[in-house]
mmCIF file of all heavy atoms in Angstrom:
data_model
loop_
_atom_site.group_PDB
_atom_site.id
_atom_site.type_symbol
_atom_site.label_atom_id
_atom_site.label_comp_id
_atom_site.label_asym_id
_atom_site.label_seq_id
_atom_site.Cartn_x
_atom_site.Cartn_y
_atom_site.Cartn_z
ATOM 1 N N TYR A 10 42.342 62.649 -114.698
ATOM 2 C CA TYR A 10 41.700 62.973 -115.978
ATOM 3 C C TYR A 10 42.077 61.921 -117.026
ATOM 4 O O TYR A 10 43.261 61.632 -117.232
ATOM 5 C CB TYR A 10 42.139 64.353 -116.477
ATOM 6 C CG TYR A 10 41.805 65.477 -115.534
ATOM 7 C CD1 TYR A 10 42.812 66.049 -114.732
ATOM 8 C CD2 TYR A 10 40.509 65.971 -115.430
ATOM 9 C CE1 TYR A 10 42.517 67.084 -113.869
ATOM 10 C CE2 TYR A 10 40.207 67.015 -114.551
ATOM 11 C CZ TYR A 10 41.210 67.550 -113.776
ATOM 12 O OH TYR A 10 40.918 68.577 -112.901
ATOM 13 N N LEU A 11 41.064 61.374 -117.656
ATOM 14 C CA LEU A 11 41.251 60.462 -118.791
ATOM 15 C C LEU A 11 40.633 61.121 -120.021
ATOM 16 O O LEU A 11 39.414 61.301 -120.100
ATOM 17 C CB LEU A 11 40.575 59.114 -118.528
ATOM 18 C CG LEU A 11 40.615 58.105 -119.691
ATOM 19 C CD1 LEU A 11 42.036 57.593 -119.922
ATOM 20 C CD2 LEU A 11 39.678 56.932 -119.436
ATOM 21 N N VAL A 12 41.492 61.483 -120.970
ATOM 22 C CA VAL A 12 41.033 62.161 -122.196
ATOM 23 C C VAL A 12 41.166 61.181 -123.363
ATOM 24 O O VAL A 12 42.252 60.635 -123.604
ATOM 25 C CB VAL A 12 41.850 63.438 -122.460
ATOM 26 C CG1 VAL A 12 41.421 64.074 -123.789
ATOM 27 C CG2 VAL A 12 41.659 64.433 -121.316
ATOM 28 N N LEU A 13 40.072 60.986 -124.061
ATOM 29 C CA LEU A 13 40.041 60.064 -125.205
ATOM 30 C C LEU A 13 40.087 60.858 -126.505
ATOM 31 O O LEU A 13 39.331 61.814 -126.684
ATOM 32 C CB LEU A 13 38.770 59.212 -125.158
ATOM 33 C CG LEU A 13 38.491 58.460 -123.856
ATOM 34 C CD1 LEU A 13 37.147 57.753 -123.942
ATOM 35 C CD2 LEU A 13 39.595 57.474 -123.541
ATOM 36 N N ASP A 14 40.962 60.433 -127.401
ATOM 37 C CA ASP A 14 41.074 61.067 -128.725
ATOM 38 C C ASP A 14 39.933 60.535 -129.602
ATOM 39 O O ASP A 14 40.137 59.838 -130.594
ATOM 40 C CB ASP A 14 42.444 60.745 -129.317
ATOM 41 C CG ASP A 14 42.739 61.545 -130.572
ATOM 42 O OD1 ASP A 14 42.168 62.648 -130.712
ATOM 43 O OD2 ASP A 14 43.514 61.062 -131.405
ATOM 44 N N TRP A 15 38.721 60.894 -129.225
ATOM 45 C CA TRP A 15 37.506 60.265 -129.745
ATOM 46 C C TRP A 15 37.170 60.680 -131.179
ATOM 47 O O TRP A 15 36.751 59.853 -131.997
ATOM 48 C CB TRP A 15 36.342 60.608 -128.819
ATOM 49 C CG TRP A 15 35.078 59.852 -129.110
ATOM 50 C CD1 TRP A 15 34.050 60.247 -129.907
ATOM 51 C CD2 TRP A 15 34.720 58.567 -128.608
ATOM 52 N NE1 TRP A 15 33.074 59.294 -129.938
ATOM 53 C CE2 TRP A 15 33.459 58.243 -129.138
ATOM 54 C CE3 TRP A 15 35.334 57.651 -127.752
ATOM 55 C CZ2 TRP A 15 32.816 57.048 -128.845
ATOM 56 C CZ3 TRP A 15 34.681 56.475 -127.464
ATOM 57 C CH2 TRP A 15 33.434 56.180 -128.013
ATOM 58 N N ASN A 16 37.302 61.951 -131.491
ATOM 59 C CA ASN A 16 36.818 62.480 -132.775
ATOM 60 C C ASN A 16 37.823 62.374 -133.915
ATOM 61 O O ASN A 16 37.450 62.600 -135.073
ATOM 62 C CB ASN A 16 36.409 63.949 -132.606
ATOM 63 C CG ASN A 16 35.252 64.112 -131.644
ATOM 64 O OD1 ASN A 16 34.211 63.493 -131.803
ATOM 65 N ND2 ASN A 16 35.436 64.938 -130.616
ATOM 66 N N TRP A 17 39.062 62.060 -133.610
ATOM 67 C CA TRP A 17 40.063 61.975 -134.676
ATOM 68 C C TRP A 17 39.833 60.737 -135.527
ATOM 69 O O TRP A 17 39.495 59.672 -135.022
ATOM 70 C CB TRP A 17 41.469 61.941 -134.086
ATOM 71 C CG TRP A 17 42.548 61.952 -135.122
ATOM 72 C CD1 TRP A 17 43.034 63.030 -135.791
ATOM 73 C CD2 TRP A 17 43.259 60.817 -135.621
ATOM 74 N NE1 TRP A 17 44.012 62.650 -136.678
ATOM 75 C CE2 TRP A 17 44.169 61.283 -136.595
ATOM 76 C CE3 TRP A 17 43.217 59.443 -135.347
ATOM 77 C CZ2 TRP A 17 45.030 60.445 -137.282
ATOM 78 C CZ3 TRP A 17 44.069 58.589 -136.046
ATOM 79 C CH2 TRP A 17 44.967 59.097 -137.002
ATOM 80 N N ARG A 18 40.047 60.868 -136.843
ATOM 81 C CA ARG A 18 39.836 59.761 -137.782
ATOM 82 C C ARG A 18 41.089 59.533 -138.608
ATOM 83 O O ARG A 18 41.791 60.484 -138.960
ATOM 84 C CB ARG A 18 38.646 60.047 -138.699
ATOM 85 C CG ARG A 18 37.329 60.219 -137.938
ATOM 86 C CD ARG A 18 36.178 60.494 -138.884
ATOM 87 N NE ARG A 18 34.958 60.777 -138.150
ATOM 88 C CZ ARG A 18 34.120 59.856 -137.691
ATOM 89 N NH1 ARG A 18 34.366 58.583 -137.907
ATOM 90 N NH2 ARG A 18 33.033 60.201 -137.025
ATOM 91 N N ASP A 19 41.339 58.285 -138.931
ATOM 92 C CA ASP A 19 42.516 57.942 -139.736
ATOM 93 C C ASP A 19 42.213 58.110 -141.220
ATOM 94 O O ASP A 19 41.187 58.707 -141.595
ATOM 95 C CB ASP A 19 42.977 56.516 -139.407
ATOM 96 C CG ASP A 19 41.906 55.472 -139.712
ATOM 97 O OD1 ASP A 19 40.859 55.839 -140.277
ATOM 98 O OD2 ASP A 19 42.115 54.283 -139.385
ATOM 99 N N GLN A 20 43.077 57.570 -142.079
ATOM 100 C CA GLN A 20 42.898 57.728 -143.531
ATOM 101 C C GLN A 20 41.614 57.064 -144.028
ATOM 102 O O GLN A 20 41.041 57.483 -145.029
ATOM 103 C CB GLN A 20 44.096 57.125 -144.268
ATOM 104 C CG GLN A 20 45.383 57.912 -144.056
ATOM 105 C CD GLN A 20 46.561 57.298 -144.786
ATOM 106 O OE1 GLN A 20 46.468 56.180 -145.296
ATOM 107 N NE2 GLN A 20 47.673 58.002 -144.833
ATOM 108 N N LYS A 21 41.172 56.009 -143.333
ATOM 109 C CA LYS A 21 39.928 55.331 -143.701
ATOM 110 C C LYS A 21 38.721 55.913 -142.974
ATOM 111 O O LYS A 21 37.649 55.304 -142.972
ATOM 112 C CB LYS A 21 40.046 53.842 -143.377
ATOM 113 C CG LYS A 21 41.092 53.129 -144.208
ATOM 114 C CD LYS A 21 41.144 51.655 -143.866
ATOM 115 C CE LYS A 21 42.188 50.935 -144.699
ATOM 116 N NZ LYS A 21 42.261 49.487 -144.360
ATOM 117 N N LEU A 22 38.919 57.072 -142.361
ATOM 118 C CA LEU A 22 37.855 57.792 -141.642
ATOM 119 C C LEU A 22 37.313 57.001 -140.451
ATOM 120 O O LEU A 22 36.158 57.145 -140.064
ATOM 121 C CB LEU A 22 36.707 58.158 -142.592
ATOM 122 C CG LEU A 22 37.074 59.043 -143.787
ATOM 123 C CD1 LEU A 22 35.862 59.268 -144.674
ATOM 124 C CD2 LEU A 22 37.638 60.368 -143.346
ATOM 125 N N ARG A 23 38.170 56.184 -139.849
ATOM 126 C CA ARG A 23 37.767 55.405 -138.678
ATOM 127 C C ARG A 23 38.191 56.100 -137.393
ATOM 128 O O ARG A 23 39.314 56.607 -137.307
ATOM 129 C CB ARG A 23 38.392 54.011 -138.713
ATOM 130 C CG ARG A 23 37.956 53.161 -139.879
ATOM 131 C CD ARG A 23 38.675 51.828 -139.854
ATOM 132 N NE ARG A 23 40.122 52.003 -139.924
ATOM 133 C CZ ARG A 23 40.996 50.997 -139.857
ATOM 134 N NH1 ARG A 23 40.567 49.758 -139.710
ATOM 135 N NH2 ARG A 23 42.291 51.234 -139.931
ATOM 136 N N ARG A 24 37.302 56.110 -136.435
ATOM 137 C CA ARG A 24 37.651 56.623 -135.117
ATOM 138 C C ARG A 24 38.331 55.521 -134.297
ATOM 139 O O ARG A 24 38.396 54.375 -134.713
ATOM 140 C CB ARG A 24 36.395 57.101 -134.382
ATOM 141 C CG ARG A 24 35.649 58.217 -135.085
ATOM 142 C CD ARG A 24 34.362 58.525 -134.348
ATOM 143 N NE ARG A 24 33.523 57.328 -134.254
ATOM 144 C CZ ARG A 24 32.401 57.261 -133.546
ATOM 145 N NH1 ARG A 24 31.970 58.306 -132.869
ATOM 146 N NH2 ARG A 24 31.695 56.144 -133.516
ATOM 147 N N MET A 25 38.798 55.904 -133.135
ATOM 148 C CA MET A 25 39.429 54.937 -132.254
ATOM 149 C C MET A 25 38.470 53.805 -131.892
ATOM 150 O O MET A 25 38.847 52.632 -131.844
ATOM 151 C CB MET A 25 39.912 55.658 -130.994
ATOM 152 C CG MET A 25 40.610 54.781 -129.984
ATOM 153 S SD MET A 25 41.208 55.712 -128.565
ATOM 154 C CE MET A 25 39.646 56.177 -127.816
ATOM 155 N N ALA A 26 37.220 54.143 -131.675
ATOM 156 C CA ALA A 26 36.219 53.145 -131.280
ATOM 157 C C ALA A 26 35.733 52.296 -132.452
ATOM 158 O O ALA A 26 35.063 51.282 -132.231
ATOM 159 C CB ALA A 26 35.021 53.840 -130.642
ATOM 160 N N ASP A 27 36.079 52.663 -133.689
ATOM 161 C CA ASP A 27 35.651 51.904 -134.863
ATOM 162 C C ASP A 27 36.615 50.787 -135.228
ATOM 163 O O ASP A 27 36.267 49.910 -136.028
ATOM 164 C CB ASP A 27 35.497 52.834 -136.068
ATOM 165 C CG ASP A 27 34.421 53.883 -135.844
ATOM 166 O OD1 ASP A 27 33.437 53.573 -135.156
ATOM 167 O OD2 ASP A 27 34.583 55.018 -136.332
ATOM 168 N N ILE A 28 37.825 50.795 -134.676
ATOM 169 C CA ILE A 28 38.833 49.774 -134.980
ATOM 170 C C ILE A 28 38.698 48.658 -133.945
ATOM 171 O O ILE A 28 38.865 48.903 -132.750
ATOM 172 C CB ILE A 28 40.249 50.380 -134.963
ATOM 173 C CG1 ILE A 28 40.328 51.544 -135.964
ATOM 174 C CG2 ILE A 28 41.293 49.329 -135.295
ATOM 175 C CD1 ILE A 28 41.563 52.389 -135.847
ATOM 176 N N PRO A 29 38.380 47.431 -134.356
ATOM 177 C CA PRO A 29 38.068 46.359 -133.394
ATOM 178 C C PRO A 29 39.170 46.093 -132.367
ATOM 179 O O PRO A 29 38.894 45.931 -131.181
ATOM 180 C CB PRO A 29 37.841 45.137 -134.288
ATOM 181 C CG PRO A 29 37.476 45.695 -135.617
ATOM 182 C CD PRO A 29 38.212 46.979 -135.750
ATOM 183 N N GLU A 30 40.450 46.043 -132.813
ATOM 184 C CA GLU A 30 41.534 45.713 -131.886
ATOM 185 C C GLU A 30 41.689 46.794 -130.818
ATOM 186 O O GLU A 30 41.857 46.489 -129.623
ATOM 187 C CB GLU A 30 42.859 45.555 -132.646
ATOM 188 C CG GLU A 30 42.824 44.543 -133.787
ATOM 189 C CD GLU A 30 42.325 45.131 -135.083
ATOM 190 O OE1 GLU A 30 42.513 46.340 -135.303
ATOM 191 O OE2 GLU A 30 41.728 44.376 -135.874
ATOM 192 N N ILE A 31 41.613 48.049 -131.251
ATOM 193 C CA ILE A 31 41.787 49.155 -130.314
ATOM 194 C C ILE A 31 40.584 49.241 -129.375
ATOM 195 O O ILE A 31 40.735 49.521 -128.179
ATOM 196 C CB ILE A 31 41.994 50.475 -131.086
ATOM 197 C CG1 ILE A 31 43.317 50.395 -131.865
ATOM 198 C CG2 ILE A 31 42.006 51.671 -130.143
ATOM 199 C CD1 ILE A 31 43.529 51.482 -132.858
ATOM 200 N N LYS A 32 39.405 48.980 -129.898
ATOM 201 C CA LYS A 32 38.206 49.002 -129.053
ATOM 202 C C LYS A 32 38.295 47.930 -127.964
ATOM 203 O O LYS A 32 37.933 48.184 -126.805
ATOM 204 C CB LYS A 32 36.962 48.781 -129.918
ATOM 205 C CG LYS A 32 35.663 48.849 -129.132
ATOM 206 C CD LYS A 32 34.457 48.792 -130.052
ATOM 207 C CE LYS A 32 34.248 47.437 -130.632
ATOM 208 N NZ LYS A 32 32.979 47.320 -131.403
ATOM 209 N N LEU A 33 38.788 46.751 -128.316
ATOM 210 C CA LEU A 33 38.937 45.673 -127.338
ATOM 211 C C LEU A 33 39.921 46.062 -126.236
ATOM 212 O O LEU A 33 39.649 45.872 -125.038
ATOM 213 C CB LEU A 33 39.408 44.407 -128.056
ATOM 214 C CG LEU A 33 39.605 43.156 -127.201
ATOM 215 C CD1 LEU A 33 38.289 42.703 -126.603
ATOM 216 C CD2 LEU A 33 40.232 42.044 -128.033
ATOM 217 N N ASP A 34 41.076 46.627 -126.630
ATOM 218 C CA ASP A 34 42.072 47.056 -125.640
ATOM 219 C C ASP A 34 41.538 48.198 -124.774
ATOM 220 O O ASP A 34 41.846 48.278 -123.583
ATOM 221 C CB ASP A 34 43.358 47.488 -126.353
ATOM 222 C CG ASP A 34 44.056 46.324 -127.036
ATOM 223 O OD1 ASP A 34 43.946 45.191 -126.546
ATOM 224 O OD2 ASP A 34 44.702 46.556 -128.080
#
């Protein structure tokens, strides 16, 4: 099972997939 913390947003309301460095990794 691979679970992605997809819907959580940081203080700038960015998801994990919205941050370029994290998306690349």
Side-chain angles (χ1 to χ4, degrees):
Y10 300 103
L11 176 69
V12 176
L13 307 176
D14 190 26
W15 189 267
N16 297 306
W17 184 81
R18 299 180 185 275
D19 61 6
Q20 291 180 350
K21 295 181 180 179
L22 301 177
R23 297 178 300 177
R24 300 175 302 173
M25 181 178 68
D27 297 327
I28 303 168
E30 305 86 29
I31 295 169
K32 183 173 72 173
L33 181 64
D34 293 329

